[in-house]
Amino acid sequence: MIGIFDSGLGGLTILKSILNVETHGHASLRNYDYIYLGDNARAPYGNKSQAAIYQYTREAVDFLFSRHCRLIILACNTASSEALRKIQQEYLPEHHPEKRVLGVIRPLVEEITKHAKIQRVGILGTRATVESNAYLTELRNLKPRLEIFQQAAPLLVPLIEEGWLSRPETAMILKKYLRPLKQKQVQALILACTHYPFLLPQILRIMTKRVFVPNPGEVVAKSLADYLERHPELALQATQNPRVQFCTTDDTTAFKQLGEKFLKQEMSNIEKVIL
Ligand code: DGL
């Protein structure tokens, strides 16, 4: 069982790519059992303190472990920025040394830094992700001379959740957030929030084709496939009849309604849980 955690529904962009990725050794990623947990009752995380984000994320991780996950992906950028390191370095070694928790930052950063020509990178994220400097730190670790420009975009998540993807108001706000990054002539842009890929066509239009904007879901899915190949000791079993179980800490009806729009497929197993 593989756990996918997000503060809410945005992480479905990651799950969607995972379920679509074509090959992984002999088995497709589609052939594993997944449990998706959205902490909708406490979302959004993006404007919360580090202490709160760490506490919520740890509760989510404990829940997913109690449901037999041996590997968890923190699809949430805010949780990856504010909680992952402490979970990996302090919590797991003491309490669950045989289990693994991964985030979305490292794969995205590697995707950018492997292009030698990219010297100027923009990061668009929630306020907490930007203030944590987690992307900036990882990028600098791999390529100290990069020029990095960060922009918090706190209004985008609510607009996307309202389904306002093609409204002129959203286009106007998006342009305002992207303008400083465009002025800095970034060559690559990291979408450091689960929701922003829904605005990818609009973002590409504003930034133009000259800017490399990787799709986070695709990058994370590929990196998960690699990880599973390199870590047979996790002994995750591929199966002929894989299951995807959905859990939310809030109302299941609203979760299903918006979730099916995000995932573009029917979501049948939805359970309300308490963390
Ligand atoms: N999932 C969050 C992220 O990727 C966005 C929504 C929130 O703020 O909780 O940062």
Side-chain angles (χ1 to χ4, degrees), residues 6-8 10-11 43-47 75-79 126 129 157 161 192-195:
D6 184 42
S7 54
Y45 281 14
N47 296 324
C76 179
N77 288 265
T78 306
T126 62
T129 295
V157 167
E161 295 214 336
C193 173
T194 46
H195 289 58

Side-chain angles (χ1 to χ4, degrees), residues 95-112:
H95 300 275
H96 301 278
E98 72 299 349
K99 297 188 177 148
R100 294 288 172 267
V101 179
L102 306 174
V104 288
I105 299 176
R106 185 76 190 193
L108 273 162
V109 162
E110 282 174 356
E111 182 68 20
I112 299 289

Side-chain angles (χ1 to χ4, degrees), residues 9-14 16 156-157 159-161 163-166 170 174 191 193-203 215-216 258-264:
L9 286 157
L12 292 173
T13 53
I14 304 284
K16 191 163 177 253
L156 294 184
V157 167
L159 289 167
I160 294 165
E161 295 214 336
W164 282 29
L165 299 183
S166 9
T170 306
L174 188 58
L191 304 184
C193 173
T194 46
H195 289 58
Y196 303 167
F198 290 110
L199 293 173
L200 192 57
Q202 291 89 323
I203 291 172
N215 183 329
L258 193 55
E260 288 184 346
K261 261 206 213 154
F262 277 18
L263 197 58
K264 294 205 167 63

